[in-house]
Amino acid sequence: MSAEAGHGASVRIEACGKTFADGTHALEPATLDIASGETLVLLGPSGCGKTTMLRIIAGLEAPDAGGRVLFDGKDMTAVPIERRNVGMVFQSYALFPNMTVADNIGYGLKIRGMPDKERAARVAELVTLTNISGLENRRIDQLSGGQRQRVALARAVAIRPGILLLDEPLTALDAALRDRLRGELNRLLRALGITTIYVTHDQSEAMELGDRIVVMQKGAIAQIGTPREIYFTPRSRFVAEFIGAANIVEAAVEDGHLVLPGGRQPIHCDGDMPAAVAMIRPETIHVAAARSASLSGTIDSVSFIGDRQRLVVSGASSRLLTVDAPNTVQARPGERIGLSISPDAVRLLPPEN
Amino acid sequence: MSHRSFVWLCLLPLAVVTAAFFLLPMARLVVTGAGGPQGLAGYLAILVEPRYRVTLINTVLLAAATTIVTLIVATIAGMFLQRHRFPGRAVLIAMLTFPLAFPGVVVGFMIILLAGRQGLIGDFSNRLFGEKLVFAYSIYGLFLGYLYFSIPRVILTVMAAVQKLDVGLEEAARSLGAGPWAVQRDVVLPALAPAFVASGAIAFATAMGAFGTAFTLATNIDVLPMLIYTEFTLAANLSISAALSVGLGIITWFILALARSFSGSAVAAAG
Ligand SMILES: Nc1ncnc2c1ncn2[C@@H]1O[C@H](COP(=O)(O)OP(=O)(O)OP(=O)(O)O)[C@@H](O)[C@H]1O
Ligand SMILES: [Mg+2]
């Protein structure tokens, strides 16, 4: 495996926008740096331009005039995909139906003129690496979805690409398989050390796989950061709500407190604001005795999830508050409870425009 | 009425049509073919008699050449037409498929206008080289006519197949380093193979049996349908023309079956 590692190229996207022939603005001009060996996740809702950005990096789509794509500092904008040495995994896998599994995996090597024996050895190596031993001579239509996904990955990695591009590689699979493959994929990507750009609209996939996450919104980059940064310090309401569960609280700020219907919540903020927007994650809200807490409300509903329970509380904020409480807490709908929130857990967001 | 008897009732028209228009005439043809002075051996005449054999070979070669050239031209044109949008595209497709409606006689007529004694090509070559190029009445004229005839049919089939191609496959091949030719060879052509077999079979069978064009051009062309016509009307040799007809049918069917099984196994072997 060590022979595999450490041949990732660095990528720079410079002012790359995309307007399609029919006038669709798919991407605002964006600039982005991806370090060698890094796994970068493009995350966002459907239609926000993730695939478009990936295709620009791959060379399947040309950026609008002025945009440039650089690999290891070399301008690749005019280089066609077949000479960019990128490995690609498509959402539909796009495996060749007229070839066996082994021929699919070896196709890129064959095109590069690798001798048969060497190619067979490399294919065998990848078959082992991706856990599909015994399927080498199957036709593609004789494979399950998960097996196809592995073949597609093996085929993309076989050519020792400088950059691996994956477009929602797990979306077509059912939830249980998706979780298992996500773990496998994560280990594989770390072991290979290829620069990876991974497109998904699933935030938990993004968190697990990404060294950094690019959250996209309507063709623009909303925020770039590590999973922790994105989760704990979202820069906008959109990012806060898209990643994980978030309570958005709209209230006035008076000398370091949010003024809420259920009480006054201390926050880190000096000035006064007539209308602030704050985010509070459900797991940062702790249940306390109603009398002693500075903030209180009434339990609307309780859903037991197993490892925790999710309470919906009314009357504390102007909207319902979602609270993740330990599964040991006794809580019944209709009860009054106190809520204790550390000032660190309240994040003020810039006002929406 | 029970479900079963309903099905049988539906089969009745099929049985009548099959018997009336297919089985009975075919049986009669087969019997007639064996009714000549040579008896059953009349069937071998198509292979044994030198004049017939040469005609048979000519016909098969002509049909094969027509099929191959048609497939090449129609694939390139169909792929281009399906993949590109340009002004005049609709008009061009309409024009290309226009000959679909023409009977063989009209196609023959057009070939004469093009390459006949008063034809455009003759005029043109006369001006350029001082020599009239006339090939309408030869097997080359017939070849041209058959191309004209079969290209529209094949183009339509190829365009439909190209539309169904998965562009993702081509992109995947390119991402693995395949240039334009390799993509065609490894991805596009294999995916189009079933369409080639289907439309090629129709082009081949049509070229084997087409009569109108040959009849219009016929001065020195020997193809099987012409031979059958001559034996039938001029020589009134009923049994030989029947035997030749059956032979034409069987040989065409045999070559098509061969092509199908070959391409079938090619697909299976590759897949
Ligand atoms: N070839 C095209 N021509 C015109 N518009 C296009 C084309 N491809 C994509 N678009 C548009 O560009 C926008 C971004 O598309 P893109 O495929 O990048 O979204 P995405 O983030 O990948 O979405 P999804 O998660 O649904 O795959 C969409 O509005 C889409 O309709
Ligand atoms: Mg997409």
Side-chain angles (χ1 to χ4, degrees), chain A residues 18-27 44-55 61 91 167-168 199-201 216 219:
Chain A
K18 181 71 192 178
T19 309
F20 283 106
D22 63 357
T24 313
H25 276 294
L27 209 58
S46 184
C48 70
K50 308 180 294 287
T51 298
T52 305
M53 179 165 312
L54 195 76
R55 289 172 62 86
E61 218 76 76
Q91 182 172 347
D167 193 355
E168 312 219 16
V199 165
T200 182
H201 61 254
M216 296 180 64

Side-chain angles (χ1 to χ4, degrees), chain A:
Chain A
M1 203 97 89
S2 54
E4 297 270 345
H7 48 268
S10 70
V11 179
R12 180 175 167 80
I13 305 161
E14 220 172 71
C16 280
K18 181 71 192 178
T19 309
F20 283 106
D22 63 357
T24 313
H25 276 294
L27 209 58
E28 301 298 324
T31 297
L32 196 59
D33 276 295
I34 305 152
S36 163
E38 183 181 11
T39 299
L40 185 88
V41 176
L42 303 179
L43 175 68
S46 184
C48 70
K50 308 180 294 287
T51 298
T52 305
M53 179 165 312
L54 195 76
R55 289 172 62 86
I56 288 175
I57 298 170
L60 287 169
E61 218 76 76
D64 292 343
R68 297 204 303 160
V69 176
L70 299 99
F71 292 176
D72 279 335
K74 271 207 306 281
D75 190 341
M76 304 295 274
T77 319
V79 177
I81 180 171
E82 54 264 36
R83 284 194 268 121
R84 287 195 186 189
N85 197 34
V86 293
M88 239 186 139
V89 176
F90 295 79
Q91 182 172 347
S92 63
Y93 306 143
L95 297 171
F96 307 126
N98 53 325
M99 298 179 201
T100 60
V101 166
D103 288 344
N104 262 280
I105 298 176
Y107 183 75
L109 305 172
K110 193 170 157 193
I111 288 289
R112 283 164 173 70
M114 184 184 273
D116 286 356
K117 247 177 88 185
E118 210 176 316
R119 174 153 48 99
R122 175 78 179 144
V123 169
E125 200 179 314
L126 281 151
V127 163
T128 318
L129 194 67
T130 52
N131 254 328
I132 45 175
S133 306
L135 303 178
E136 291 90 333
N137 294 316
R138 291 259 187 106
R139 280 208 321 272
I140 298 308
D141 58 11
Q142 298 167 325
L143 299 180
S144 72
Q147 291 165 341
R148 283 176 206 210
Q149 202 279 328
R150 290 157 201 253
V151 176
L153 186 66
R155 182 180 70 176
V157 171
I159 57 174
R160 297 182 198 277
I163 301 155
L164 187 61
L165 305 169
L166 304 109
D167 193 355
E168 312 219 16
L170 303 178
T171 303
L173 306 172
D174 64 69
L177 188 58
R178 199 156 57 217
D179 282 351
R180 210 175 73 225
L181 282 182
R182 193 202 294 167
E184 271 184 36
L185 196 60
N186 196 17
R187 279 191 293 281
L188 193 69
L189 293 181
R190 306 277 152 215
L192 294 178
I194 308 174
T195 309
T196 303
I197 301 168
Y198 188 104
V199 165
T200 182
H201 61 254
D202 179 339
Q203 42 114 355
S204 53
E205 221 169 276
M207 300 268 198
E208 179 166 352
L209 293 171
D211 292 322
R212 281 190 305 157
I213 298 175
V214 177
V215 184
M216 296 180 64
Q217 178 188 20
K218 293 192 189 128
I221 295 178
Q223 188 169 355
I224 307 176
T226 64
R228 276 165 207 283
E229 284 165 1
I230 300 273
Y231 188 80
F232 290 119
T233 56
R235 257 203 265 128
S236 69
R237 182 169 176 164
F238 171 80
V239 176
E241 288 187 306
F242 194 75
I243 309 280
N247 291 297
I248 301 296
V249 174
E250 284 155 329
V253 175
E254 278 175 26
D255 46 282
H257 286 78
L258 277 174
V259 183
L260 294 168
R264 289 166 64 88
Q265 166 63 40
I267 58 169
H268 295 304
C269 179
D270 296 333
D272 288 3
M273 277 187 272
V277 181
M279 178 208 69
I280 307 168
R281 296 283 182 198
E283 72 276 12
T284 59
I285 307 179
H286 300 287
V287 177
R291 260 170 251 289
S292 59
S294 58
L295 193 63
S296 63
T298 310
I299 301 178
D300 248 31
S301 66
V302 179
S303 17
F304 181 72
I305 303 175
D307 57 342
R308 68 208 141 93
Q309 50 191 340
R310 178 153 286 188
L311 315 182
V312 176
V313 177
S314 63
S317 153
S318 53
R319 284 195 239 170
L320 297 176
L321 269 189
T322 305
V323 178
D324 278 354
N327 52 13
T328 47
V329 170
Q330 293 293 323
R332 247 168 270 114
E335 269 178 9
R336 274 202 77 72
I337 53 164
L339 303 171
S340 116
I341 307 166
S342 148
D344 300 333
V346 181
R347 173 154 176 90
L348 283 181
L349 299 173
E352 295 294 295
N353 33 15

